């Protein structure tokens, strides 16, 4: 059948509509046709390549999973080193191949557990590590010369890396025997995740220090994992995640070369980390396109070792795609995302647990997540064939389109002078936030279906969740810190920290001194503070986007927006100003996607909105809200600190005369915690999946009652 004959058949079935009417434009701006044929592949040269051969379209290894499957990792950290260690050992016994460590937020931000700014954060969203002793407990009875360890750490990467090396040393394992990966990707922190400590330039210097140290002393350890995952979770499209991640990688390569490291010394140990979402074929194509683009980019540096050209990647299924509503659906979502990663050729994989939209995974949900990978690896037969979708008309054409679009965006970054300069100008962050706002509109309008959230909804009893007593964890960490400080040679520690400060102020690599300091039982906070004295603690400017959510929503449902604007006008006429809301992020949680979208959308809908700076204490947030005379203080929670931080806000409001300010909460808050928060004075709680116009209407209704507006 010819193309013309097929077109006639389509028009007949669709009552004379043109086949072009079936085109789907993806969020990336790529037009997807309903049919792909051999003709779509005629200008694509890469598809005839073999796995393990340049440009590695079909995988970095010639045998891929037929020799051995991907490494099964589960990213986890549970409050204390002891609890996390038990979880790791249980998982290793149950078939997990490597460890992936999640640290708590104070550790990420370089604070010890006894610091006054981290009262509600200790042991939340990961394991608290203050000293080498904590690190030794974390890996007790786990042979570090045999088990590969991946660590997600960026801001406090120097003391954490040093503590890991010393813990292994005291286990009898030399640095050269260690296998694994340190994320060490600070650039994406300034874009999306925000667990930075120092400014971009000195932060890049510390990245180079680790790359240099590992190239000399840890030949089997990946010194950096360039992470697109957090961009994906912040709302980036596949094109943006792909382009900005590879542009970050290019910046790290240039940084290492400026340090004098030969390309073939460090490039084979670079790795990448991508998020895998629900657009099944797009995610497969993303991994394939990433390998080709990276190989072509690296070829310009003329490496002699073919491994310098290979993009090796870890993948994690998407946390953002998990829904709090009807959460067992998340098992299906995670399975499909894991399948995308495998068909795309990942080297290792983490699968999210179905309950992570509301809290930390329980042992049961973690087992389901782990077994999802084991089923794919051992029951499906998929690993027996290399790149089984290779040659698919659609997959090959989509891979080529993604590569072309991403290359154009990389060229934009290069025109700005590279990724560091682009980040300082705010370009990548702005693009990702715009994409996140556009997606929120599609979800709120029902243009993008999320089963159980905006379609096919039902009421479900709350899930059993893993409860962490942060105050108990913090007290235990403080006792351990006090014990260590009494037993160590404090004078020696002070001398080593002073040497570290001086090294940081010069071009001396700080890693050897940091290792000495941690060996003498300096703390993570003390080493971080020493580097802070040489540099300074960075505060990124707070910016929000405007006009996207409101314009797109109004274009589809103008009557709803018009009706809401009338209510805003009535409020302004009665009160003398628009409803005024401040959106605050409390504690050390830097995940700001939700807060930024709320601030942007509410501003478009007619509220006067202030966005508080990141990392505020409850006292600081209240002080700002009272000074600005806001009507509403919106608290965005992501890292399970709400039961500590929100009551502190309410208490401080009463003490400072801010009783008239409504406190509302949003984000990841388990439904079983709602009653407690309401009893303490929270006016409204908006869980994941709440349409933003509905949230705005509910808050405006509360204000209308207070100000007696009919």
């Amino acid at each position: 059948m010819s193309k013309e004959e097929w077109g006639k058949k389509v028009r007949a079935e669709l009552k004379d509509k043109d086949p072009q009417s079936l085109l789907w434009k993806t969020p990336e701006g790529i037009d997807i046709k309903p049919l792909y044929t051999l003709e779509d592949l005629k200008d694509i040269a890469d598809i005839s390549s073999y796995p393990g051969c340049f440009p590695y379209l079909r995988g970095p290894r010639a045998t891929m999973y037929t020799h051995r499957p991907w490494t099964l990792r589960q990213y986890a950290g549970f409050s204390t080193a002891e609890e996390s260690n038990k979880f790791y050992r249980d998982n290793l016994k149950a078939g997990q191949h490597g460890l992936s460590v999640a640290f708590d937020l104070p550790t990420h931000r370089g604070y010890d557990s006894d610091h006054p700014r981290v009262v509600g954060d200790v042991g939340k969203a990961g394991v608290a590590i203050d000293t080498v002793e904590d690190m030794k407990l974390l890996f007790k009875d786990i042979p570090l010369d045999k088990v590969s360890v991946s660590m997600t750490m960026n801001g406090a990467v120097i003391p954490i890396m040093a503590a890991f090396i010393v813990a292994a040393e005291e286990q009898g394992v030399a640095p050269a025997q260690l296998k694994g990966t340190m994320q060490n990707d600070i650039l994406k922190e300034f874009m999306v995740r925000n667990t930075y400590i120092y400014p971009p330039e000195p932060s890049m210097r510390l990245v180079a220090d680790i790359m240099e140290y590992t190239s000399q002393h840890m030949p089997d350890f990946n010194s950096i994992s360039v992470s697109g995952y957090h961009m994906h979770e912040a709302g980036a499209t596949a094109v943006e995640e792909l382009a900005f991640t590879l542009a970050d990688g290019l910046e790290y390569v240039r940084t290492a070369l400026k340090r004098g490291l030969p390309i073939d010394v460090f490039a084979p140990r670079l790795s990448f980390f991508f998020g895998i979402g629900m657009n099944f074929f797009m995610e497969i194509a993303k991994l394939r396109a990433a390998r080709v683009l990276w190989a072509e980019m690296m070829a310009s540096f003329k490496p002699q070792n073919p491994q310098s050209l290979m993009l090796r990647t870890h993948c994690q299924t998407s946390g953002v795609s998990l829904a709090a509503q009807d959460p067992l659906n998340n098992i299906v979502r995670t399975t499909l995302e894991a399948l995308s990663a495998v068909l795309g050729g990942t080297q290792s994989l983490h699968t999210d647990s179905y309950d992570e939209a509301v809290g930390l995974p329980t042992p049961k949900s973690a087992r389901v997540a782990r077994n999802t990978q084991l089923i794919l690896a051992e029951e499906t037969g998929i690993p027996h064939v290399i790149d089984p979708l290779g040659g698919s008309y659609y997959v090959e054409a989509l891979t080529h389109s993604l590569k072309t679009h991403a290359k154009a965006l990389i060229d934009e970054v290069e025109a700005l002078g590279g990724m560091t300069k682009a980040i300082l100008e705010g370009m990548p962050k702005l693009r990702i936030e715009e994409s996140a706002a556009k997606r929120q509109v599609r979800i709120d309008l029902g243009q993008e279906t999320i089963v159980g959230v905006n379609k096919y909804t039902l009421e479900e009893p709350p899930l059993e969740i893993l409860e962490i007593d942060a105050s108990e964890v913090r007290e235990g960490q403080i006792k351990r810190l006090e014990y260590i400080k009494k037993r160590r040679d404090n004078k020696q520690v002070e001398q080593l920290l002073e040497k570290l400060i001086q090294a940081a102020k010069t071009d001396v690599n700080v890693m050897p001194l940091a290792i000495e300091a941690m060996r003498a039982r300096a703390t993570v906070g003390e080493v971080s503070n020493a580097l802070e004295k040489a540099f300074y603690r960075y505060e990124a400017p707070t910016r929000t986007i405007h006009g996207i959510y409101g314009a797109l929503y109004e274009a589809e449902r103008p009557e709803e927006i018009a009706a809401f604007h009338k209510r805003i006008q009535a409020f302004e006429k009665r009160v003398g100003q628009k409803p005024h809301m401040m959106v605050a992020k409390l504690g050390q949680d830097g995940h700001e996607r939700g807060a930024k979208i709320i601030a942007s959308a509410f501003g478009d809908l007619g509220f006067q909105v202030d966005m508080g700076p990141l990392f505020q204490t409850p006292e600081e947030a209240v002080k700002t809200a009272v000074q600005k005379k806001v009507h509403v203080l919106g608290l965005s929670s992501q890292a399970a600190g709400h039961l500590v931080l929100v009551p502190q806000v309410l208490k401080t409001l009463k003490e400072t005369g801010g009783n008239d300010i409504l406190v509302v909460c949003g984000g990841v808050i388990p439904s079983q915690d709602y009653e407690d928060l309401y009893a303490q004075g929270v006016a409204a709680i908006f869980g994941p999946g709440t349409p933003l116009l509905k949230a705005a209407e509910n808050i405006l209704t509360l204000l209308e009652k207070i100000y007696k507006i009919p």
Side-chain angles (χ1 to χ4, degrees):
M1 180 182 287
S2 69
K3 185 177 180 181
E4 290 73 21
E5 289 171 328
W6 176 78
K8 287 180 182 178
K9 188 173 180 63
V10 169
R11 281 190 289 273
E13 291 182 8
L14 297 177
K15 298 181 180 178
D16 293 328
K17 285 185 180 178
D18 191 278
Q20 291 292 108
S21 67
L22 297 177
L23 282 176
W24 168 43
K25 186 177 285 291
T26 73
E28 291 79 12
I30 296 173
D31 288 325
I32 302 297
K33 302 187 298 181
L35 177 68
Y36 286 81
T37 67
L38 184 61
E39 185 180 343
D40 293 291
L41 309 186
K42 63 182 180 181
D43 297 322
I44 304 175
D46 301 331
I47 58 173
S48 60
S49 65
Y50 281 84
C53 300
F54 185 90
Y56 308 104
L57 169 72
R58 307 193 67 186
R61 295 204 314 265
T63 54
M64 287 303 288
Y65 307 143
T66 60
H67 172 59
R68 60 182 172 89
W70 61 93
T71 300
L72 193 161
R73 297 186 188 276
Q74 287 303 98
Y75 177 57
F78 291 95
S79 61
T80 66
E82 294 93 334
E83 285 294 318
S84 300
N85 173 262
K86 181 179 183 301
F87 180 82
Y88 295 156
R89 287 189 286 109
D90 288 346
N91 275 11
L92 288 169
K93 288 177 185 175
Q96 187 171 307
H97 308 140
L99 304 179
S100 189
V101 182
F103 297 95
D104 74 351
L105 294 168
T107 305
H108 273 291
R109 293 272 292 149
Y111 292 118
D112 288 332
S113 299
D114 58 359
H115 197 284
R117 297 193 71 86
V118 302
V119 173
D121 293 310
V122 177
K124 296 290 188 181
V127 59
I129 298 293
D130 294 319
T131 68
V132 167
E133 297 303 322
D134 290 332
M135 194 70 80
K136 287 169 68 177
L137 284 171
L138 187 66
F139 296 114
K140 184 180 179 183
D141 297 326
I142 296 173
L144 292 176
D145 56 339
K146 294 182 176 63
V147 175
S148 171
V149 177
S150 172
M151 288 180 279
T152 299
M153 178 52 63
N154 304 279
V157 66
I158 294 292
I160 287 296
M161 185 75 171
F164 176 63
I165 290 168
V166 174
E169 170 187 285
E170 296 184 9
Q171 195 187 85
V173 179
Q177 296 174 279
L178 293 171
K179 301 175 183 66
T181 303
M182 181 63 75
Q183 190 165 99
N184 196 27
D185 174 9
I186 201 64
L187 288 174
K188 64 94 174 45
E189 298 296 330
F190 295 106
M191 271 190 277
V192 290
R193 192 162 173 261
N194 299 307
T195 54
Y196 48 74
I197 302 175
Y198 318 110
E201 292 88 349
S203 294
M204 286 294 286
R205 172 261 173 95
L206 297 178
V207 168
D209 281 359
I210 287 180
M211 293 177 77
E212 181 179 57
Y213 182 88
T214 54
S215 69
Q216 295 170 352
H217 303 284
M218 303 170 71
D220 293 331
F221 199 86
N222 299 323
S223 60
I224 189 167
S225 173
V226 190
S227 175
Y229 177 83
H230 304 94
M231 302 177 206
H232 179 279
E233 296 297 273
T237 65
V239 166
E240 289 163 348
E241 180 189 0
L242 179 54
F244 292 148
T245 303
L246 297 188
D248 278 354
L250 194 57
E251 194 84 340
Y252 294 127
V253 168
R254 289 171 178 153
T255 298
L257 290 172
K258 286 178 185 175
R259 181 61 69 94
L261 297 176
I263 188 76
D264 288 326
V265 167
F266 68 87
R269 302 312 306 172
L270 296 177
S271 68
F272 288 79
F273 175 25
F274 288 103
I276 304 295
M278 284 298 291
N279 190 340
F280 185 77
F281 290 106
M282 184 71 76
E283 298 298 347
I284 295 168
K286 181 175 73 182
L287 298 185
R288 302 173 94 248
R291 288 192 291 269
V292 175
L293 274 169
W294 185 248
E296 292 176 352
M297 289 162 61
M298 290 299 286
S300 67
F301 297 103
K302 297 181 170 46
Q304 300 303 304
N305 185 349
Q307 291 191 357
S308 297
L309 301 166
M310 296 178 189
L311 182 144
R312 297 167 301 110
T313 189
H314 171 71
C315 290
Q316 180 174 337
T317 59
S318 173
V320 167
S321 70
L322 301 176
Q325 300 90 335
D326 209 357
L328 291 180
N329 290 337
N330 294 331
I331 298 174
V332 180
R333 294 186 177 104
T334 294
T335 301
L336 289 170
E337 290 169 351
L339 183 58
S340 285
V342 168
L343 294 176
T346 189
Q347 277 59 70
S348 65
L349 179 61
H350 164 91
T351 35
D352 287 341
S353 300
Y354 63 81
D355 52 1
E356 287 187 69
V358 293
L360 289 171
T362 62
K364 177 182 177 181
S365 68
R367 184 178 71 250
V368 171
R370 182 185 63 250
N371 287 348
T372 299
Q373 291 197 54
L374 292 173
I375 290 166
L376 287 176
E378 299 184 21
E379 292 189 27
T380 63
I382 291 169
H384 296 302
V385 178
I386 302 167
D387 188 28
L389 293 182
S392 157
Y393 300 146
Y394 176 39
V395 171
E396 297 292 3
L398 185 57
T399 299
H400 185 70
S401 292
L402 257 180
K403 175 191 167 185
T404 303
H405 281 72
K407 180 62 169 62
L409 188 49
I410 291 170
D411 289 343
E412 275 191 61
V413 172
E414 290 293 284
L416 292 172
M419 204 57 173
T420 301
K421 290 183 179 178
I423 286 170
L424 289 171
E425 290 192 20
M427 184 273 265
K429 191 177 187 72
L430 179 63
R431 294 285 181 89
I432 292 170
E433 288 179 0
E434 287 176 350
S435 295
K438 289 175 182 176
R439 181 167 191 246
Q440 188 64 48
V441 175
R442 294 195 301 272
I443 292 170
D444 285 0
L445 290 172
Q447 295 171 344
E448 182 175 325
T449 296
I450 302 179
V451 173
V453 176
N454 62 0
K455 201 172 183 181
Y456 314 116
T457 58
L458 55 83
E459 291 296 323
E460 281 276 300
L463 275 177
E464 174 191 347
I465 63 166
L466 184 67
E467 296 280 359
I468 301 292
D469 187 337
S471 59
E472 184 178 326
V473 174
R474 186 168 186 258
E475 287 170 10
Q477 289 297 120
I478 290 172
K479 286 179 182 177
R480 191 176 293 160
L481 276 166
E482 290 172 346
Y483 178 78
I484 289 168
K485 287 179 180 180
K486 285 178 182 177
R487 291 175 61 87
R488 72 185 185 183
D489 185 337
N490 285 296
K491 187 174 181 180
Q492 181 194 20
V493 169
E494 288 173 13
Q495 290 172 344
L496 289 169
L497 291 173
E498 184 57 37
K499 286 183 181 180
L500 184 62
I501 294 168
Q502 297 310 313
K505 289 180 178 178
T506 63
D507 294 330
V508 175
N509 191 314
V510 301
M511 269 306 300
L513 282 167
I515 291 169
E516 278 193 59
M518 296 305 287
R519 190 181 288 128
R521 294 321 189 249
T523 69
V524 168
E526 287 170 338
V527 170
S528 298
N529 189 55
L531 295 174
E532 187 179 334
K533 288 177 180 177
F535 312 132
Y536 64 90
R537 187 168 281 269
Y538 181 69
E539 292 184 19
T542 301
R543 304 186 183 101
T544 54
I545 58 174
H546 303 286
I548 293 176
Y549 184 94
L552 292 175
Y553 201 105
E554 187 172 20
E556 293 295 322
R557 298 184 187 172
E559 69 288 345
E560 290 184 26
I561 297 296
F564 189 76
H565 283 168
K566 282 184 180 178
R567 292 176 64 186
I568 292 286
Q569 289 164 6
F571 183 93
E572 187 174 10
K573 184 176 180 181
R574 180 66 171 264
V575 180
Q577 66 176 115
K578 293 180 178 181
H580 188 179
M581 181 170 75
M582 174 180 157
V583 179
K585 290 286 297 181
L586 302 179
Q588 299 305 306
D589 175 23
H591 296 87
E592 59 181 353
R593 170 185 174 151
K596 284 286 188 76
I597 289 175
I598 291 164
S600 172
F602 273 57
D604 289 352
L605 293 172
F607 278 69
Q608 179 184 342
V609 181
D610 289 300
M611 180 79 193
L614 287 170
F615 314 123
Q616 285 188 304
T617 64
E619 293 76 17
E620 289 166 345
V622 167
K623 182 179 179 181
T624 305
V626 171
Q627 286 176 342
K628 290 181 176 292
K629 299 180 179 178
V630 303
H631 302 114
V632 183
L633 176 56
L635 305 177
S636 176
S637 175
Q638 176 78 13
H642 53 277
L643 290 180
V644 176
L645 298 172
V646 174
Q648 288 181 4
V649 167
L650 295 166
K651 179 175 179 288
T652 307
L653 277 172
K654 290 176 183 177
E655 293 171 351
T656 56
N659 287 356
D660 58 336
I661 296 176
L662 283 179
V663 174
V664 301
C665 297
V668 180
I669 300 176
S671 58
Q672 46 266 63
D673 291 345
Y674 284 17
E675 187 176 341
D676 187 15
L677 293 174
Y678 282 135
Q680 295 192 57
V682 171
I685 302 171
F686 305 102
T690 304
L692 296 188
L693 180 58
K694 180 180 178 182
E697 288 173 338
N698 288 351
I699 290 173
L700 187 55
T701 297
L702 292 171
L703 292 173
E704 287 168 340
K705 289 179 181 177
I706 291 171
Y707 290 96
K708 298 181 172 56
I709 300 171

